[in-house]
Amino acid sequence: MTARTTTPRGGGRWIEHWDPEDADFWRRTGERTARRNLWFSVLAEHIGFSIWSLWSVLVLFMGPEYGIDAAGKFFLVGMATLVGALVRVPYSFAVTRFGGRNWTVISAALLLVPTLAAYVVMEPGTSYTTFLLVALLTGVGGGNFASSMTNVNAFFPLRQKGWALGLNAGGGNIGVPVIQLVALAVIATAGAGSPRLLLAIYLPLIVLAAACAWRYMDNLAVMTENSGAAWASLRESARDGHTWIMALLYVGTFGSFIGYSFAFGLVLTSQYDRTPLQAASLTFIGPLLGSAVRPLGGWLADRWGGARITLVTFAAMAAATGVVILASGRTSLPLFLTGFIALFVLSGIGNGSTYKMIPGIYQAKAHRLGLSGEAAASYGRRLSGAAIGLIGAVGGVGGLGINLAFRQSFQSSGTGTAAFVAFLACYAVCFTLTWTVYLRRRPTRPADATEATPSAPEPAPVHV
């Protein structure tokens, strides 16, 4: 049996049979097809993240002649973060309506809108309201993450989801440091007065991502077979307390990553008086390392359990935040960079480990309902796909919270110290929640979630 059957529905390429949990199917055709779709999903998501984080670098081109202070710039990037978070829910369900390949083409092509709009308005004299509206448009790039993760989640067996989701997300996340590196090259060669050159570089890359998705990706029929139940799945996952617990944990990991990525350059220019070129030469380091280690977080979670890795990550993030607070008090740039870059690395690991926990939770729930085999896999796929949209949206809103906290902190005191104190408290809450819900032994209480495998009829309580 082959993995692909071409059908006329929607004019796209559809795979009618897909059973990645079948070892023979996976070995003969499934793995090759899944990996091909993964790589081109990564490409489209990578460009999406770059456009979503576009204003985190465009503000470095906005000198005094633009008449926008640090608080105003934080608000611009914060609004882009907000839209990117909100559109994640409908984007995750678009895969079940249109198919993964078809929606990847559409969502990639949509990136042309904010990029062209920024190309038109990016000059001194443009009103702040216009800049704000264009920044809001870039939020569509944040939605690509949810649809891509939902699609990739369906392609891979449970035993490889941590690695696959981590690689997909990491490859997308790395779009943030890449656009920062491109901006650094533009500022170093053409000067801070050439933001349109940066935008001109990305326009053909957007077209390339859409074209590759059209040529090389596939739609899974098993995703759209349940499209009529998509909103029912959303309601069911929204009623499950674990969805909201995982959303809060994801605020601590991904919210930190995207919020810090958007704010890094502004903190350097506002608190440490770096020039745009000096800031751009540093801002890419943290997001690059945080993106690169996300697959490692998924792999560690596959091996040791997502909850264990997540718990250790939050403890280490709290320690790194303490270093940043100390550096802010001493106005020590080297110490600040050490702590801040450590936060990026740790948030990347936590991103991978938290996302590994999601499929396991719903696979375990399927077994508790008495399902097995493909029925359990289908249930877990539907519910985890719905949860990914909600969790990703809330996590993205965490990035908005970080930028608004920085805005308030700089307005009040001229530094980000107060904001970092608030982040430290958030990590303490996430640490406590991870331990209490997913690691503390409760022998008299039914299992909440596990590192379930398809052969486990009744999952053990704590390993997620």
Side-chain angles (χ1 to χ4, degrees), residues 217-299:
M217 291 183 69
D218 303 287
N219 301 303
L220 289 181
V222 294
M223 293 291 290
T224 58
E225 284 169 0
N226 296 313
S227 60
W231 287 107
S233 299
L234 177 62
R235 289 193 297 270
E236 185 174 351
S237 64
R239 288 194 298 265
D240 192 313
H242 286 288
T243 298
W244 301 107
I245 293 169
M246 291 306 304
L248 181 56
L249 298 184
Y250 201 55
V251 165
T253 58
F254 179 76
S256 295
F257 173 84
I258 199 66
Y260 292 152
S261 295
F262 283 23
F264 197 5
L266 280 173
V267 172
L268 290 174
T269 56
S270 302
Q271 183 168 334
Y272 290 94
D273 298 321
R274 301 294 96 178
T275 66
L277 180 59
Q278 290 170 331
S281 68
L282 295 170
T283 52
F284 73 92
I285 299 173
L288 176 62
L289 293 176
S291 302
V293 300
R294 183 160 184 164
L296 174 62
W299 179 84

Side-chain angles (χ1 to χ4, degrees), residues 80-315:
T81 309
L82 174 62
V83 175
L86 295 179
V87 300
R88 286 184 167 195
V89 175
Y91 265 57
S92 65
F93 285 103
V95 173
T96 66
R97 175 64 180 86
F98 300 101
R101 171 223 184 216
N102 294 348
W103 183 249
T104 302
V105 174
I106 295 169
S107 60
L110 283 174
L111 299 174
L112 290 170
V113 176
T115 310
L116 286 169
Y119 189 93
V120 172
V121 307
M122 198 62 199
E123 59 185 19
T126 300
S127 70
Y128 185 80
T129 300
T130 302
F131 283 132
L132 181 60
L133 291 173
V134 175
L136 290 171
L137 289 176
T138 61
V140 297
N144 287 21
F145 171 84
S147 55
S148 181
M149 293 292 275
T150 300
N151 190 43
V152 168
N153 180 58
F155 270 98
F156 283 83
L158 182 63
R159 65 185 179 277
Q160 293 188 22
K161 286 185 189 291
W163 170 84
L165 292 173
L167 186 63
N168 184 61
N173 291 171
I174 211 168
V176 178
V178 167
I179 197 171
Q180 291 172 344
L181 278 170
V182 176
L184 170 61
V186 170
I187 293 173
T189 56
S194 304
R196 286 191 172 99
L197 178 56
L198 172 68
L199 298 164
I201 291 170
Y202 269 86
L203 287 170
L205 295 178
I206 294 170
V207 175
L208 175 65
C212 286
W214 177 265
R215 175 66 180 84
Y216 296 108
M217 291 183 69
D218 303 287
N219 301 303
L220 289 181
V222 294
M223 293 291 290
T224 58
E225 284 169 0
N226 296 313
S227 60
W231 287 107
S233 299
L234 177 62
R235 289 193 297 270
E236 185 174 351
S237 64
R239 288 194 298 265
D240 192 313
H242 286 288
T243 298
W244 301 107
I245 293 169
M246 291 306 304
L248 181 56
L249 298 184
Y250 201 55
V251 165
T253 58
F254 179 76
S256 295
F257 173 84
I258 199 66
Y260 292 152
S261 295
F262 283 23
F264 197 5
L266 280 173
V267 172
L268 290 174
T269 56
S270 302
Q271 183 168 334
Y272 290 94
D273 298 321
R274 301 294 96 178
T275 66
L277 180 59
Q278 290 170 331
S281 68
L282 295 170
T283 52
F284 73 92
I285 299 173
L288 176 62
L289 293 176
S291 302
V293 300
R294 183 160 184 164
L296 174 62
W299 179 84
L300 289 171
D302 283 338
R303 183 173 178 82
W304 300 106
R308 290 191 184 97
I309 302 303
T310 301
L311 185 77
V312 173
T313 297
F314 280 127

Side-chain angles (χ1 to χ4, degrees), residues 30-114:
E31 183 173 19
R32 182 172 62 254
T33 301
R35 286 177 180 266
R36 171 167 43 77
N37 279 271
L38 172 63
W39 297 128
F40 289 102
S41 177
V42 167
L43 174 63
E45 188 191 346
H46 173 95
I47 302 299
F49 259 94
S50 291
I51 300 306
W52 188 23
S53 57
L54 180 63
W55 283 88
S56 72
V57 293
L58 285 182
V59 292
L60 298 179
F61 290 88
M62 300 171 76
E65 66 275 15
Y66 283 81
I68 303 174
D69 63 9
K73 292 176 182 178
F74 276 118
F75 193 72
L76 281 178
V77 299
M79 290 302 99
T81 309
L82 174 62
V83 175
L86 295 179
V87 300
R88 286 184 167 195
V89 175
Y91 265 57
S92 65
F93 285 103
V95 173
T96 66
R97 175 64 180 86
F98 300 101
R101 171 223 184 216
N102 294 348
W103 183 249
T104 302
V105 174
I106 295 169
S107 60
L110 283 174
L111 299 174
L112 290 170
V113 176

